[in-house]
């Protein structure tokens, strides 16, 4: 089978099943627990030949005081190589929630210059519900890959850049957290983190872009984004710790909105470093 070049940010489970034996395809399982989960609900099965992409450890800067921080270029490249990923790999990434953490991996690879990647729409739940085969989770034991990415810093914003965005009328910060969290009506799931939101930001809960654990149709996503004053603006996506903000980035990409970035530290960083 010919090597794959993935042209779209989202692929269906039917598409993946039909291309599962492509020579350069690598399937990544990016499942992780939600911070709001009281106990682990991770699945013990995977799509055949999937490799576990450990966002929390291997692909985060664990020396950073805030969770899920973007790793260095060297760390990302080494970890990707250990998963057998090559520079010409076609990557499909999924998670066991439907679409949750998989969008973060898609955004990370794009930030490191790799465009041949897509999110599996509906993730493992859609794969299973369609009757496609699974296997027990296993650690990757194969050869190292040749992946060598170059970090493009414009994909992510740091604290200082977000402070500038707050007062820039050409920027719009969009928060992906649930409405009650955005409005400070409930406690944050991270102990000791104050409630509230970044000044001048607006709220678009990531769940609004989903329908039964899959992304909504492109026309629906466009209509949702059109309810905000985004014309000619640079969009900065935030959330709790940089995970679900990437779902908004995925939705924006599907809607043809390109001038976007993700606030890596998100509310965890902003809420700790500021008092209002």
């Amino acid at each position: 089978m010919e090597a794959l070049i993935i042209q779209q940010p989202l692929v269906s489970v039917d598409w993946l099943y039909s291309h599962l034996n492509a020579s350069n395809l690598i399937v990544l399982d990016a499942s992780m627990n939600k911070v709001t989960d009281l106990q682990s609900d991770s699945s013990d099965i995977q799509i055949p030949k999937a490799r576990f992409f450990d966002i929390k450890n291997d692909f985060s800067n664990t020396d950073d005081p805030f969770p899920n921080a973007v790793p260095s270029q060297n760390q990302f490249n080494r970890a990707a190589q250990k998963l057998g990923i090559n520079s010409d790999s076609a990557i499909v990434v999924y998670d066991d929630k439907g679409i949750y953490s998989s969008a973060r991996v898609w955004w990370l690879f794009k930030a490191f210059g790799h465009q041949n990647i897509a999110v599996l729409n509906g993730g493992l739940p859609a794969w299973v519900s369609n009757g496609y085969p699974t296997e027990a989770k296993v650690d990757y034991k194969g050869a190292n890959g040749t992946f060598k990415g170059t970090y493009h810093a414009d994909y992510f914003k740091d604290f200082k850049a977000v402070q500038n965005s707050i007062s820039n009328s050409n920027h719009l910060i969009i928060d992906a957290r649930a409405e009650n969290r955005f409005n400070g009506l409930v406690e944050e799931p991270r102990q000791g983190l104050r409630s509230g939101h970044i000044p001048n930001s607006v709220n678009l809960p990531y769940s609004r872009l989903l329908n039964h654990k899959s992304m909504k149709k492109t026309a629906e996503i466009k209509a949702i984004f059109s309810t905000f004053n985004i014309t000619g603006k640079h969009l900065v996506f935030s959330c709790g710790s940089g995970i679900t903000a990437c779902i908004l980035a995925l939705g924006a990409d599907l809607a043809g909105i390109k001038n976007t970035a993700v606030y890596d530290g998100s509310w965890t960083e902003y809420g700790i470093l500021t008092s209002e």
Side-chain angles (χ1 to χ4, degrees), residues 58 72 95 117 152 160 167 171 215 224 235 242 275:
D58 295 343
S72 69
D95 62 65
I117 182 169
H152 299 271
K160 184 176 180 179
S167 57
H171 289 203
M215 294 295 288
I224 291 169
L235 305 186
S275 59

Side-chain angles (χ1 to χ4, degrees), residues 37-241:
D37 291 339
L38 298 178
Q39 59 186 14
S40 173
D41 64 347
S42 60
S43 173
D44 58 358
I45 60 173
Q46 65 181 27
I47 292 173
K49 301 178 182 179
R51 304 168 192 186
F52 179 59
F53 188 100
D54 188 347
I55 294 175
K56 299 293 292 184
N57 299 294
D58 295 343
F59 290 92
S60 288
N61 177 5
T62 55
D63 292 329
D64 194 281
F66 303 105
N68 313 317
V70 174
S72 69
Q73 181 175 294
N74 285 339
Q75 179 186 346
F76 188 90
N77 287 343
R78 287 197 307 270
Q81 290 165 10
K82 286 181 180 179
L83 287 179
I85 298 172
N86 300 315
S87 293
D88 66 348
S89 292
I91 301 170
V92 174
V93 56
Y94 73 90
D95 62 65
D96 59 8
K97 308 289 189 296
I99 290 186
Y100 178 66
S101 47
S102 51
R104 170 73 179 191
V105 179
W106 167 80
W107 193 250
L108 275 173
F109 270 102
K110 286 171 68 69
F112 284 94
H114 191 79
Q115 303 296 326
N116 198 6
I117 182 169
V119 172
L120 183 64
N121 201 15
L124 186 63
W127 182 268
V128 171
S129 69
N130 277 267
Y132 291 133
T134 60
E135 62 185 18
K137 279 190 175 180
V138 293
D139 293 330
Y140 175 71
K141 302 291 186 182
N144 281 6
T146 62
F147 183 86
K148 191 174 183 180
T150 299
Y151 182 60
H152 299 271
D154 54 330
Y155 278 80
F156 286 97
K157 297 283 188 184
D158 60 14
F159 176 71
K160 184 176 180 179
V162 166
Q163 284 184 306
N164 291 332
S165 290
I166 289 170
S167 57
N168 189 333
S169 61
N170 292 320
H171 289 203
L172 180 63
I173 302 169
I174 305 182
D175 192 318
R177 291 176 299 157
E179 185 177 359
N180 282 347
R181 287 178 64 188
F182 177 81
N183 289 322
L185 301 178
V186 295
E187 290 186 0
E188 280 294 305
R190 288 181 174 80
Q191 188 173 7
L193 178 60
R194 70 182 179 91
S195 300
H197 61 261
I198 299 170
N200 294 336
S201 62
V202 297
N203 187 213
L204 173 54
Y206 76 88
S207 59
R208 284 191 58 199
L209 301 187
L210 302 180
N211 183 23
H212 302 299
K213 299 183 179 181
S214 296
M215 294 295 288
K216 288 181 175 178
K217 300 292 186 183
T218 298
E220 295 177 89
I221 295 172
K222 285 182 178 179
I224 291 169
F225 274 106
S226 72
T227 62
F228 299 92
N229 181 21
I230 64 172
T231 302
K233 291 190 177 181
H234 175 58
L235 305 186
V236 180
F237 300 122
S238 181
C239 58
S241 63

